[in-house]
Amino acid sequence: MPLTPSTRVGPYEIVSSLGAGGMGEVYRAHDSRLGRDVALKLLPAPFAGDPGRLARLEREARLVAGLNHPNIVVLHSIEEADGLRFITMELVEGETLDRHLPPGGLAIPRVVELGIALAEALAAAHEKGIVHRDLKPANVMITRDGRVKVLDFGLAKLESSVEAGDATQADTVAALSSAGQVIGTVPYMAPEQIRGEAAESRTDLFALGVLIHELTAGTRPFIGATAGVISSAILRDAPPPLTALRADAPPELQHIVARCLEKDPASRFANARDVAEALRRVRHAEGTAAIAAPVAPPGTGRTVAAPPPGPSIAVLPFANLSRDEDNEYFSDGLTEELMNVLGRIRGLRVAARTSSFHFKSKHPTIAEVGAALNVGAVLEGSVRKAGNRVRISVQLVKVADGYPLWSDTMERTLDDIFAVQDDVARAVVAALPGELLFSQPGLATGRGTRNRDAYDAYLEGRFYWNKRSEADARKAIEFFERALALDETFAEAWAGLADAYVTLPFYSLTPTDAAYVEARNAASKALALRPDYGPVIATLAYADMIDLRWPQAEEQYRRAIELAPEDANAHKWYADLLMMTGRSSAASRELRTALELDPLSANIWTIQGEWYWLEGRLDEAMANYRKALELMPTLPLALELATRLCWQRDQIADYFALRERLEAVSPRVAVPTATLREAHARGGRRAVLEAQLSAPVARLLPSDRARWHAELGDLDAAFRDLDDSLAQRELRLPYTTYFGDFATIRKDPRYQELLAKMGVARAQ
């Protein structure tokens, strides 16, 4: 039974829960005898009631308690009080390493420093005869001052041989650590662990190699949809070389990782101290210069160059310090508007909104943001809004050394909010290196409105639109319309309304043609007010593409990219058109550009997954979908495509698990997942397809019916469905040209006739 705050366990008073550890619940507790806080790990009843386990634990605890190393959490005691068995340990203030790992990996110097600290911790334990057996990011703490602390040596086994005369000890060790017993976390397990063989010190070196690979590339060397697939990869596959994933990965670091990941323990380093020394040689060879060049997120098979010459900046989401949490839209909106103001400054590169907002509430270091987003400076701040007054604190920090370039606190009325944004932008420009011509016509003052209430409604509209669900899109529409009722000349609000309508059919059953009438009208109003508004031109291009107006769409995309070359969304949508019209290589180039501009965009990762599926690279496609879902766990399109790929690969358990997640966020799921599970148990895949098709026609998209009919072997029905899709101008129809699970349909001669009706051939 969980312990609650103020509960007393012997001399300890429970302060709060810290979560679950390797062997039980962990609490923050106050030791009344010594006047200090400790971590108290409560042993589960089955463990506490097993004399053999307790005897072994006490022996290990004596050894672990003897470890006096700065990178290992200190174990204080094993105690019993009030009928409970528990361990007390050093309380570490900080976060686990997995919370510090940005997509694309850490800067190389930081990887090397962490690797040295981990290797030294393992060396200290191994020299005492203790093997960790479960080294992973969740078992490594980073303290508030950046130091490494390894946790949970309680899962270790005694590596030293048991003396022949100690029969009791021999029996205990055999029972708990014998061959055939698998202990650990699969992605970090060595081949011998997976085979159930006894672990030894070089088993930990394999896990260390996995961890260093992950810190460097942002992804583990062995990936898969299930534990079985990962285990098979660990036993069979060679890991991808770091130098192929990241251009600035030193060859010596690649050599260290490759040697740690040898399948045969005898081929690995002899001990952890040798690993530490090898990493020190890397540190020495690299010198003291910080290597901050970020890499493409894992799975792309490419690298991103070092930051280009000239100033670059990321604006992190401002913290909402207002008492009313509903004011979060205001702090988010202020951040986004500052991005827009700074983005209009010639010569200044501003990280995309999606990538910057990935760090919201995650408390990254400046170095981590700089490495992930490929920028030289970071602007962070907070907003406190009360009534008609707002207090804004901002700080501009240089990534290379972490020192502030400028900071200020401003307190104004809401009527002055536009002036505050311009003041911040001017101060940023003055603090950044190089000449940035801030005094350009219409640069600093044009927000499209001077009406504060209209602006406030617009910020709320953008706040909800960025949540990417049907309900939130409809709220966004309400707020954009409210802004326009107050100021019909507000171009940004018209643009927001166009974006909301053009994306609405993705998240709902709203007919495409009805939504696109509204989208075109709003986009046209925005362009009438701002003729060179690149992102709005991209929105119109997308509508033209879905309407099968291929030449017009392509011309509009090129125009949008010319006007706003750093608009990642325009590059992503243009990649859609290129794939639809059979130009896969050109599409790949646009996707690379989009990811370089916005490396933490879940939408772009999803589209790139589609490209990999089209190319038949299914593992990479799934890796991209999973990365998208790490960035945005509720993104409907990523969930849908991952679900469909699992179905195609006959990964039924994963299919149902993902579909349940999709069902929770998408109204397009017409048949409950529980019903499909029952159908599968009754009649396999065919019964699932038939159950899908039994839903009311109004709840099904024609393109979905087409692929289900095709899998059932009824291609006549499939092509009738596609004709319906064409008649309805369904948003999904153009995507049938490259979605992987339409391959069977595309092999039928009738599909070429459909392409002719769609006009695709004219664009090829």
Side-chain angles (χ1 to χ4, degrees), residues 404-419:
L405 295 168
W406 165 78
S407 63
D408 198 1
T409 297
M410 308 173 186
E411 187 163 349
R412 307 283 180 85
T413 67
L414 289 177
D415 295 327
D416 297 328
I417 192 62
F418 302 134

Side-chain angles (χ1 to χ4, degrees), residues 499-510:
D499 287 340
Y501 274 116
V502 87
T503 56
L504 184 60
F506 266 116
Y507 314 120
S508 69
L509 291 167
T510 302

Side-chain angles (χ1 to χ4, degrees), residues 43 47-48 83 132 136 140 186 252 272 328 346 362 372 496 500 509 565 621 655 670 763:
L43 301 181
F47 193 107
H132 194 289
K136 58 186 177 182
V140 177
V186 171
E252 181 59 25
E328 186 176 2
R346 186 166 62 248
K362 294 185 178 178
L509 291 167
Y655 165 78

Side-chain angles (χ1 to χ4, degrees), residues 314-319 328-340 351-364 369 373 459 462-463 466-467 598 600-601 631-632:
V315 184
L316 294 186
F318 283 15
E328 186 176 2
Y329 80 88
F330 185 84
S331 56
D332 282 4
L334 179 62
T335 305
E336 190 167 355
E337 284 304 291
L338 273 171
M339 290 179 187
N340 292 336
R353 188 251 184 222
T354 311
S355 289
S356 291
F357 270 71
H358 170 74
F359 292 103
K360 184 174 180 178
S361 304
K362 294 185 178 178
H363 311 296
V369 176
L373 302 187
L459 292 185
R462 279 296 180 192
F463 175 78
N466 281 309
K467 289 177 174 288
D598 198 358
L600 305 184
S601 166
L631 295 167
M632 188 181 290

Side-chain angles (χ1 to χ4, degrees), residues 120-205:
E120 291 288 2
L122 290 176
H126 293 167
E127 287 163 8
K128 292 286 187 178
I130 301 172
V131 180
H132 194 289
R133 294 199 297 178
D134 196 25
L135 183 67
K136 58 186 177 182
N139 278 338
V140 177
M141 291 288 292
I142 305 299
T143 66
R144 289 177 178 174
D145 59 0
R147 290 181 295 113
V148 170
K149 289 280 190 177
V150 180
L151 307 170
D152 270 355
F153 273 99
L155 286 180
K157 73 182 266 295
L158 295 179
E159 186 181 18
S160 57
S161 60
V162 179
E163 293 186 8
D166 191 347
T168 304
Q169 183 175 331
D171 291 342
T172 301
V173 174
L176 293 173
S177 307
S178 61
Q181 183 181 30
V182 178
I183 296 178
T185 303
V186 171
Y188 302 89
M189 289 171 67
E192 60 269 24
Q193 280 179 293
I194 291 172
R195 291 192 295 266
E197 299 168 5
E200 45 103 2
S201 60
R202 282 184 281 197
T203 302
D204 282 346
L205 299 190

Side-chain angles (χ1 to χ4, degrees), residues 274-302:
D274 288 351
V275 180
E277 286 304 314
L279 288 167
R280 287 192 180 93
R281 288 194 293 272
V282 174
R283 181 174 62 185
H284 177 74
E286 296 300 322
T288 57
I291 303 173
V295 298
T300 62
R302 61 184 176 82

